[in-house]
């Protein structure tokens, strides 16, 4: 009988130790898209450290015709960073500390949430860390905001089966959009606003080889100008869209859905009309199907901020997966 009791005690002990840990509940994060909570004491924020934060993390977005920062920054002292204040989706904490470095945290107080802590022994070292790591900090926050935008888009999706059938491309976008033009392997997807529109072009071209990256860059600009001129009419006969040559395009290599992608950002204009705006072009290298898939988002919103519109288009394009 005693052996039986010992057996059950041992069984209970091992069963308790092998049980899965309970999930810790974390509240949902909050905050408008691109609203960055900056946790830093007033003396640092009002000095050179604050200036460097505004110059770097608060820098302007390349590819927009007017100055717009990546984030709207809201500063609070470290002592205030408690309770519901901790629930902001993206948080940057900057502090004087014995430890020096930059640490990235996922969901420390809420979900989804990304928090970055920059620590150093003095202001000069803080400044060096901010300057050195600002690009990585911005990228980490933008990734969270794009995912959040995709989550909101997914609440009411357009039925894009016709795009899937024609191009073999899965693209998730809001039911607020419509297909303005469908032609062979070309789609123009559009959402009208009060005084403008958000637009996404999706099409394919055969793969080409280039001996130098600059030739690939030139091809992208030539290709987008050719498609825009033939498929996107201007307000009057003979008007056409083209890349604004007074604005130098930026080119950046990335990966989406496991595919190599060239990202291009610049400004478009309409020859013959006072119309212009930003565009972002993604060229997907689809080797298995011997083609490039090109997705371009462009905005026409005169006299309005365009940052949120461009983020929406980028979130749509980054949802692409290819068979």
């Amino acid at each position: 009988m005693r052996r039986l009791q010992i057996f059950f005690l041992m069984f209970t002990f091992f069963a308790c130790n092998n049980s899965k840990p309970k999930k810790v509940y974390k509240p949902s994060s909050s905050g408008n898209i691109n609203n960055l909570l900056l946790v830093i004491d007033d003396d640092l924020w009002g000095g050179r450290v604050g200036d460097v934060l505004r110059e770097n993390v608060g820098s302007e977005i390349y590819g927009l015709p007017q100055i717009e920062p990546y984030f709207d920054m809201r500063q609070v002292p470290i002592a205030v960073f408690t309770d519901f204040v901790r629930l902001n989706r993206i948080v940057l904490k900057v502090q004087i500390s014995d430890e020096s470095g930059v640490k990235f945290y996922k969901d420390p107080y809420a979900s989804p949430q990304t928090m970055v802590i920059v620590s150093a022994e003095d202001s000069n070292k803080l400044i060096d860390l901010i300057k050195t790591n600002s690009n990585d900090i911005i990228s980490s926050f933008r990734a969270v905001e794009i995912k959040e935008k995709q989550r909101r888009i997914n609440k009411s999706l357009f039925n894009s089966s016709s795009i899937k059938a024609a191009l073999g491309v899965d693209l998730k976008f809001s039911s607020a959009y419509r297909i303005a033009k469908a032609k062979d392997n070309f789609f123009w997807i559009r959402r009208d606003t009060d005084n403008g529109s958000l637009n996404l072009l999706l099409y394919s071209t055969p793969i080409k080889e280039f001996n130098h990256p600059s030739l690939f860059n030139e091809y992208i600009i030539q290709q987008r100008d050719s498609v825009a001129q033939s498929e996107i009419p201007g307000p009057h006969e003979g008007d056409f869209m083209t890349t604004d040559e007074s604005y130098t395009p930026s080119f950046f290599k990335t990966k989406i859905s496991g595919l190599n992608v060239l990202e291009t950002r610049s400004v478009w204009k309409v020859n013959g009309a006072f119309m212009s705006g930003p565009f972002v072009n993604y060229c997907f290298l689809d080797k298995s199907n011997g083609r490039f898939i090109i997705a371009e988002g462009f905005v026409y919103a005169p006299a309005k901020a365009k940052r949120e519109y461009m983020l929406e288009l980028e979130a749509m394009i980054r949802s692409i997966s290819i068979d």
Side-chain angles (χ1 to χ4, degrees):
M1 184 67 179
R2 181 172 178 78
R3 288 182 180 179
L4 189 60
Q5 289 175 334
I6 293 173
F7 171 79
F8 278 115
L9 285 171
M10 292 178 65
F11 178 82
T12 303
F13 173 79
F14 284 112
C16 291
N17 280 275
N18 290 331
S19 61
K20 293 181 179 179
K22 292 182 180 180
K23 290 185 178 180
V24 177
Y25 168 77
K26 291 182 180 178
S28 297
S29 56
S30 60
N32 294 329
I33 298 287
N34 292 325
N35 188 333
L36 173 61
L37 180 65
L38 194 55
V39 183
I40 177 173
D41 285 334
D42 294 340
D43 57 338
L44 292 176
W45 179 243
R48 181 60 184 149
V49 173
D51 291 340
V52 171
L53 284 166
R54 285 182 283 270
E55 292 166 6
N56 290 268
V57 179
S59 60
E60 66 179 274
I61 303 171
Y62 191 85
L64 298 185
Q66 72 270 41
I67 294 176
E68 294 186 62
Y70 280 103
F71 309 107
D72 296 324
M73 296 195 294
R74 178 169 62 98
Q75 179 258 342
V76 298
I78 292 176
V80 177
F81 187 55
T82 59
D83 302 326
F84 69 90
V85 180
R86 290 181 171 183
L87 303 184
N88 207 79
R89 193 170 46 257
I90 50 176
V91 180
L92 175 59
K93 185 177 181 181
V94 179
Q95 62 186 6
I96 299 293
S97 171
D98 293 337
E99 294 185 9
S100 181
V102 179
K103 295 182 179 180
F104 294 76
Y105 297 91
K106 180 180 179 182
D107 301 343
Y109 302 109
S111 180
Q113 184 181 56
T114 289
M115 180 174 178
V116 180
I117 298 181
V118 182
S119 306
E121 297 173 355
D122 56 52
S123 295
N124 289 331
K125 290 181 181 179
L126 278 177
I127 288 170
D128 290 340
L129 286 173
I130 293 165
K131 288 181 176 179
T132 303
N133 294 276
S134 61
N135 287 338
D136 289 339
I137 292 170
I138 290 171
S139 295
S140 67
F141 289 149
R142 287 197 78 245
V144 175
E145 298 304 81
I146 286 172
K147 285 184 178 180
E148 173 62 17
K149 190 63 181 181
Q150 289 174 334
R151 184 190 69 81
R152 298 182 186 189
I153 289 171
N154 289 343
K155 289 181 177 180
S156 178
L157 289 174
F158 183 92
N159 183 353
S160 59
S161 57
S162 60
I163 298 173
K164 171 79 170 180
L167 288 174
V169 172
D170 277 319
L171 172 67
K172 294 180 180 179
F173 57 95
S174 166
S175 57
Y177 286 77
R178 59 186 172 88
I179 295 179
K181 182 183 286 188
K183 177 183 173 183
D184 299 328
N185 66 342
F186 171 85
F187 287 86
W188 176 9
I189 301 160
R190 177 180 178 124
R191 175 166 79 84
D192 296 314
T193 61
D194 292 340
N195 67 335
S197 61
L198 280 70
N199 305 267
L200 193 151
L201 309 181
L202 186 65
Y203 55 95
S204 67
T205 62
I207 279 183
K208 291 186 177 182
E209 299 291 336
F210 300 94
N211 295 326
H212 194 274
S214 64
L215 297 177
F216 190 17
N217 298 348
E218 291 175 10
Y219 168 79
I220 292 298
I221 299 300
Q222 292 168 358
Q223 185 67 31
R224 77 157 306 274
D225 285 350
S226 174
V227 169
Q229 183 172 350
S230 63
E231 303 296 346
I232 311 299
H236 306 104
E237 186 74 25
D239 295 347
F240 61 91
M241 178 191 286
T242 186
T243 303
D244 189 343
E245 294 182 356
S246 66
Y247 204 102
T248 303
S250 71
F251 300 95
F252 176 75
K253 292 180 180 178
T254 186
K255 275 187 176 290
I256 299 175
S257 299
L259 298 176
N260 291 322
V261 177
L262 178 66
E263 173 190 303
T264 305
R265 292 179 184 269
S266 194
V267 173
W268 61 269
K269 67 176 183 177
V270 172
N271 279 354
F274 292 103
M275 299 176 66
S276 66
F279 75 81
V280 59
N281 181 295
Y282 288 79
C283 181
F284 293 75
L285 176 58
D286 182 14
K287 282 187 176 181
S288 61
N289 293 302
R291 62 182 181 166
F292 294 132
I293 290 290
I294 298 176
E296 176 172 314
F298 68 92
V299 170
Y300 177 58
K304 285 197 172 184
K306 300 168 181 64
R307 180 186 68 186
E308 308 307 323
Y309 289 156
M310 290 300 292
L311 183 79
E312 179 173 319
L313 291 169
E314 185 175 353
M316 291 162 53
I317 295 172
R318 286 182 171 272
S319 74
I320 284 178
S321 61
I322 299 172
D323 289 344

